[in-house]
Amino acid sequence: VAFSFTIAFMLHLLLFCTAPMVTIIMEEMDLSHTEFGFVFAAAMISLVIFRIPWGLIGDRIGYLNAFRIALPLAAGFAVLRAFSTGYAVLLTSQFLLGMSLAMVLPCLPLIVKEWFPRSPGLSTGIYVSGFAAGNATALALTPQLLKTLEWREVLLVYSGLTVLICLLWLALARSTAKGDS
């Protein structure tokens, strides 16, 4: 359950950490409110667009293999976002981050289905609480980190966490489901 909670946590931490940075990013990149709105919306739009196709792919190749694709992509795009030098890179990295996270969402219930067949309700409750914990952490911790770090450094801290989660998943996750190895 810790894996699924941690992945859900990471997903919402990455999605919502830019909210406390609005003013800083807008000033540095000389963005309007509309332009920054597109930055936030880019991830959400790609989540909507790619969730169903990635779900179909995950069903076809197995959730473990889907995570082997999605988590490194999410880590890479999270790092790219931290190195955004302008609006186009920031917007593109947000869209690609959302695309990679879209593959994660349909796979989380499959972890519960396989790993915790006797307690799917409790296990689902635990991993879903990771989303709220990620939101709360993004909104509460980011302003604190911004007191000592630049916004790109905060994004690097969060992307470093994502890289760590990715490496742990690749090293430790196992499946008996068809299509996964």
Side-chain angles (χ1 to χ4, degrees), residues 135-158:
N135 290 348
T137 302
L139 298 175
L141 182 61
T142 301
Q144 299 308 312
L145 291 174
L146 287 170
K147 290 178 182 178
T148 57
L149 301 172
E150 298 293 324
W151 68 271
R152 286 183 179 86
E153 294 169 331
V154 174
L155 292 179
L156 280 175
V157 168
Y158 294 155

Side-chain angles (χ1 to χ4, degrees), residues 31-155:
L31 303 178
S32 68
H33 285 90
T34 302
E35 288 170 322
F36 190 85
F38 283 133
V39 168
F40 185 77
M44 299 305 161
I45 290 167
S46 61
L47 276 166
V48 170
I49 292 170
F50 292 105
R51 197 173 286 176
I52 293 172
W54 279 125
L56 293 170
I57 292 169
D59 283 344
R60 185 167 187 84
I61 67 172
Y63 74 86
L64 186 66
N65 292 324
F67 274 127
R68 286 182 179 146
I69 296 167
L71 291 177
L73 285 174
F77 295 134
V79 171
L80 175 64
R81 181 174 66 168
F83 289 103
S84 297
T85 55
Y87 180 63
V89 175
L90 184 60
L91 188 65
T92 302
S93 63
Q94 277 284 100
F95 183 85
L96 295 172
L97 179 64
M99 179 198 69
S100 61
L101 296 177
M103 186 174 219
V104 171
L105 290 165
C107 295
L108 287 171
L110 299 175
I111 292 174
V112 169
K113 180 180 176 185
E114 180 183 350
W115 292 4
F116 306 100
R118 293 188 181 169
S119 58
L122 174 63
S123 301
T124 298
I126 292 170
Y127 95 74
V128 168
S129 68
F131 294 124
N135 290 348
T137 302
L139 298 175
L141 182 61
T142 301
Q144 299 308 312
L145 291 174
L146 287 170
K147 290 178 182 178
T148 57
L149 301 172
E150 298 293 324
W151 68 271
R152 286 183 179 86
E153 294 169 331
V154 174
L155 292 179

